[in-house]
């Protein structure tokens, strides 16, 4: 992987959790449940189009990386950097890993 691809992949992975942390809560505060739907459409849709449509994130043939990993690690790093406790987040992290694994297994049984 070239340096340019590394930089664009990092930038593409950074944009998603950055927009989530900066915009999602404000949209929900201003527009209630409709703000959550707008955030889901605009933030996820826009970053997906940038990362996968335009090709900011480079994915080699052997690795499978999704934007959810970028959001998870980015928001976790931002929370820890802001002073949140990593130990208090561990039950949520474990449940997310178990739920994602279970969901992936269920999908693999019929897809």
């Amino acid at each position: 992987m070239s340096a340019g691809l590394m930089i664009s992949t990092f930038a593409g992975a950074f944009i998603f959790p950055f927009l989530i942390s900066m915009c999602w809560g404000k949209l929900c505060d201003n527009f209630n449940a409709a703000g959550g739907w707008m955030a889901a459409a605009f933030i996820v849709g826009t970053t997906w189009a940038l990362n996968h449509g335009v090709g900011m994130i480079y994915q080699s043939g052997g690795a499978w990386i999704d934007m959810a990993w970028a959001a998870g690690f980015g928001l976790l790093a931002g929370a820890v950097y802001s002073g949140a406790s990593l130990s208090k987040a561990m039950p949520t992290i474990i449940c997310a890993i178990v739920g994602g694994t279970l969901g992936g297994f269920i999908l693999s049984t019929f897809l």
Side-chain angles (χ1 to χ4, degrees):
M1 179 186 298
S2 68
L5 289 175
M6 285 187 232
I7 292 170
S8 70
T9 299
F10 182 81
F14 174 82
I15 289 170
F16 189 42
F18 179 75
L19 286 176
I20 290 172
S21 65
M22 296 304 289
C23 301
W24 202 298
K26 292 183 191 319
L27 281 168
C28 290
D29 290 343
N30 292 334
F31 300 105
N32 299 323
W37 285 99
M38 288 190 302
F42 294 134
I43 295 171
V44 176
T46 302
T47 54
W48 189 94
L50 280 173
N51 289 330
H52 296 290
V54 175
M56 282 187 74
I57 290 183
Y58 174 75
Q59 294 181 351
S60 63
W64 182 81
I65 305 295
D66 192 22
M67 288 177 21
W69 284 103
F73 283 114
L75 292 171
L76 180 64
V80 170
Y81 182 74
S82 297
S85 171
L86 182 61
S87 62
K88 287 184 180 178
M90 287 311 291
T92 303
I93 293 168
I94 292 169
C95 288
I97 291 170
V98 170
T101 303
L102 182 62
F105 172 73
I106 292 170
L107 284 173
S108 73
T109 60
F110 61 87
L111 290 180

